[in-house]
Amino acid sequence: MQEGQIYHQRYRVQHVLRHKAKVITSQVLDHKTGEMCFMKCLIFDAETQKELYEGIYQQSLRLKYLEHPQIAPLKEVFTEEDSQETKIYIVQEFIII
């Protein structure tokens, strides 16, 4: 993930905030709404168990129903897959706590 890249034909990476192991957190611009957002990318390779991927994907979808002042509201969850890895992208509203 690099600054300037566009994901899901909508989110342009403005700043990579953290890149640790298989998790990348970025500040992105939503071209559809003009809003700033956070986007987290979770990377699963062929060695990662499918159950772990499925569980995290389902949990990320549940974020939509959480309402808490210190948890950024969920905007979207999407995935990308190829023969070597699967990535889950979790996009949340940009809030300052």
Side-chain angles (χ1 to χ4, degrees):
M1 187 175 293
Q2 297 177 356
E3 292 180 10
Q5 276 186 297
I6 297 177
Y7 290 86
H8 206 52
Q9 301 175 349
R10 179 174 178 174
Y11 304 103
R12 179 183 298 273
V13 177
Q14 301 296 301
H15 305 285
V16 176
L17 303 172
R18 188 171 188 181
H19 187 167
K20 187 173 182 180
K22 296 188 179 264
V23 179
I24 304 168
T25 304
S26 299
Q27 182 180 5
V28 298
L29 176 65
D30 181 345
H31 283 282
K32 186 175 179 181
T33 65
E35 298 173 336
M36 295 301 287
C37 305
F38 285 116
M39 183 167 71
K40 187 173 284 191
C41 174
L42 308 169
I43 303 166
F44 299 87
D45 57 29
E47 296 176 16
T48 306
Q49 294 180 345
K50 185 172 181 164
E51 294 89 24
L52 178 62
Y53 160 78
E54 292 290 336
I56 290 174
Y57 181 75
Q58 291 301 320
Q59 286 182 7
S60 66
L61 293 176
R62 290 187 187 113
L63 282 173
K64 185 175 186 174
Y65 303 104
L66 289 178
E67 291 185 24
H68 190 280
Q70 294 186 340
I71 298 175
L74 180 71
K75 286 183 64 101
E76 184 173 15
V77 176
F78 60 95
T79 62
E80 290 181 352
E81 297 182 42
D82 62 30
S83 61
Q84 297 179 3
E85 61 188 16
T86 299
K87 297 176 183 177
I88 298 175
Y89 295 89
I90 302 169
V91 182
Q92 294 175 279
E93 289 182 20
F94 183 83
I95 61 168
I96 298 173
I97 299 172

